[in-house]
């Protein structure tokens, strides 16, 4: 069941850019095991108590383990509990960025990470103190190079295929161009009352977030209309257990992938994650699960740099 917008803002868990290792860790070599061009993987997605999609993952031939699927993280990570259970080989420390800041974390080497038919060898994964119950790790988009990921919210399924062209369908399917930053992060265009904004698809965030320029844009509009109210604050927590405070912001009108939404609640905080993406100076929005679940399907094509929104 989808959370209310109020609950989503308070109970926010997001990896955001939870695994953006710097230095040697960022340049890690990942050995990809090739498969046929028509290789197709479809998985039934689990769900944690915050409505994140959970993918069954096999590590070094053991599992399956439940990994939170996070399109906002460009590197997968593991929980300390899983490191201990599997006696993973230590790797060099990595500087890891979260929505709140950056800190050094230990990393560990996974000999084989398998998701359905697809696998990667010698993956170096940072260890994060994940707070979600039953979350063994975070599955970032490092294993989706050039591929297509479909999040089916109607059937609670995850599909991974080769990149392919998507055709729009009137009143049902909208395909929008995207651009990538930091290797794998997908950014799509959106519109707020005629003002273009950047919108980042982040399935690791339960609630949607905005930066200061977008908050200021909304507040200025409220003042002009004589509808400004004292700010309301909510407590939030990152997936790594970092607690911070956010300000509630209501977007009066948001156009996203052909879907028109009104009075959309998001949370603002002066977050490190927008600085990482180079979006601290222009209006930007992180699309969390509360907005993504307004669609029947969302497909991210990392090969063609497009995002496909299919309406319910």
């Amino acid at each position: 069941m989808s959370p209310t917008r109020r609950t989503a803002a308070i109970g926010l868990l997001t990896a955001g850019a939870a695994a953006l290792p710097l230095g040697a860790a960022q340049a890690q070599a990942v050995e990809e095991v090739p498969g046929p061009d028509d290789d197709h993987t479809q998985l039934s997605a689990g769900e944690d108590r915050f409505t994140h999609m959970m993918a069954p993952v096999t590590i070094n031939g053991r599992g399956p383990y439940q990994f939170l699927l996070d399109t906002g993280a460009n590197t997968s990570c593991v929980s300390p509990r899983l490191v201990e259970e599997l006696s993973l080989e230590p790797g060099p420390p990595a500087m890891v960025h979260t929505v709140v800041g950056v800190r050094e974390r230990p990393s560990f080497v996974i000999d084989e990470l398998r998701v359905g038919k697809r696998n990667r060898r010698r993956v170096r994964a940072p260890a994060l103190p994940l707070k979600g119950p039953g979350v063994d790790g975070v599955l970032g988009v490092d294993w989706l190079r050039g591929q297509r990921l479909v999040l089916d919210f109607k059937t609670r399924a995850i599909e991974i295929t080769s990149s392919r062209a998507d055709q729009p369908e009137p009143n049902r399917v909208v395909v929008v161009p995207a651009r990538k930053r930091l290797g794998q992060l997908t950014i799509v265009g959106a519109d707020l009352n005629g003002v273009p904004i950047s919108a980042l698809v982040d399935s690791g965030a339960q609630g949607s977030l905005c930066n200061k320029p977008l908050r200021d844009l909304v507040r200025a509009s409220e003042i002009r209309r004589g509808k400004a109210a004292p700010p309301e604050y909510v407590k939030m927590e990152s997936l790594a257990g970092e607690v911070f405070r956010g300000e509630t912001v209501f977007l009066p009108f948001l156009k996203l992938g052909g879907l028109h939404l009104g009075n959309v609640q998001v949370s603002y905080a002066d977050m490190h994650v927008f600085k990482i993406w180079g979006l601290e100076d222009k209006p930007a929005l992180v699309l969390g699960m509360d907005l993504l679940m307004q669609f029947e399907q969302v497909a991210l094509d990392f090969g063609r740099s497009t995002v496909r929104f299919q309406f319910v």
Side-chain angles (χ1 to χ4, degrees):
M1 180 176 65
S2 300
T4 65
R5 287 174 176 169
R6 177 68 178 169
T7 301
I10 296 174
L12 177 70
L13 283 172
T14 175
L20 297 180
L22 300 177
Q26 188 175 32
Q28 65 174 305
V30 178
E31 179 186 346
E32 178 176 343
V33 179
D37 291 339
D38 61 349
D39 191 14
H40 177 275
T41 297
Q42 187 159 0
L43 306 167
S44 295
E47 181 179 307
D48 71 355
R49 64 191 177 99
F50 295 103
T51 72
H52 295 114
M53 298 188 84
M54 306 288 289
V57 173
T58 301
I59 302 293
N60 298 346
R62 296 174 61 178
Y65 299 101
Q66 293 300 310
F67 274 50
L68 186 150
L69 183 61
D70 188 354
T71 58
N74 78 341
T75 302
S76 301
C77 62
V78 294
S79 69
R81 179 181 65 253
L82 192 61
V83 170
E84 182 177 357
E85 178 179 334
L86 298 179
S87 299
L88 295 180
E89 172 190 344
M95 298 304 294
V96 178
H97 293 259
T98 69
V99 294
V100 178
V102 57
R103 64 182 62 187
E104 185 176 278
R105 298 295 308 175
S107 72
F108 296 86
V109 178
I110 298 173
D111 287 332
E112 182 187 58
L113 187 153
R114 178 177 291 272
V115 183
K117 300 176 183 178
R118 298 167 186 267
N119 66 335
R120 298 289 184 270
R121 298 258 176 88
R122 303 297 294 177
V123 176
R124 187 157 58 243
L128 292 180
L130 305 175
K131 296 299 181 181
V135 179
D136 299 308
V138 171
L139 196 60
V141 297
D142 49 325
W143 54 281
L144 285 171
R145 295 176 182 175
Q147 300 177 58
R148 183 174 184 269
L149 170 69
V150 180
L151 307 176
D152 193 315
F153 299 108
K154 183 177 180 180
T155 63
R156 301 300 301 179
I158 299 168
E159 183 181 12
I160 309 164
T161 68
S162 299
S163 174
R164 70 166 189 255
D166 277 313
Q167 298 300 321
E169 300 175 21
N171 302 317
R172 179 163 173 78
V173 174
V174 173
V175 181
V176 297
R179 63 187 185 274
K180 288 181 288 189
R181 298 177 73 94
L182 301 175
Q184 295 296 332
L185 191 61
T186 299
I187 302 178
V188 302
D191 182 282
L192 179 68
N193 279 348
V195 178
I197 64 175
S198 294
L200 302 90
V201 178
D202 187 355
S203 63
Q206 183 198 4
S208 298
L209 310 170
C210 74
N211 65 355
K212 185 177 186 298
L214 183 53
R215 190 279 306 267
D216 291 347
L217 186 67
V218 173
R219 292 295 186 230
S221 175
E222 292 174 345
I223 292 172
R224 288 195 302 269
R225 293 182 288 115
K227 295 186 177 181
E232 179 182 353
Y233 297 96
V234 292
K235 178 182 176 181
M236 296 186 286
E237 184 180 10
S238 75
L239 185 60
E242 301 154 316
V243 177
F244 59 103
R245 190 173 72 159
E247 178 184 334
T248 299
V249 177
F250 288 94
L251 308 183
F253 182 82
L254 177 67
K255 182 180 179 182
L256 171 63
L259 181 66
H260 295 243
L261 303 171
N263 202 34
V264 176
Q265 179 179 327
V266 300
S267 297
Y268 158 71
D270 185 16
M271 292 172 292
H272 177 69
V273 66
F274 287 110
K275 297 176 183 177
I276 299 172
W277 290 325
L279 294 173
E280 67 268 36
D281 296 326
K282 56 185 178 180
L285 179 68
V286 172
L287 304 176
M289 289 293 285
D290 58 338
L291 290 183
L292 296 178
M293 290 176 66
Q294 302 294 318
F295 299 95
E296 183 175 302
Q297 280 188 359
V298 176
L300 295 88
D301 196 310
F302 293 92
R304 296 177 180 269
S305 294
T306 60
V307 179
R308 175 185 186 270
F309 295 97
Q310 180 170 313
F311 305 118
V312 177

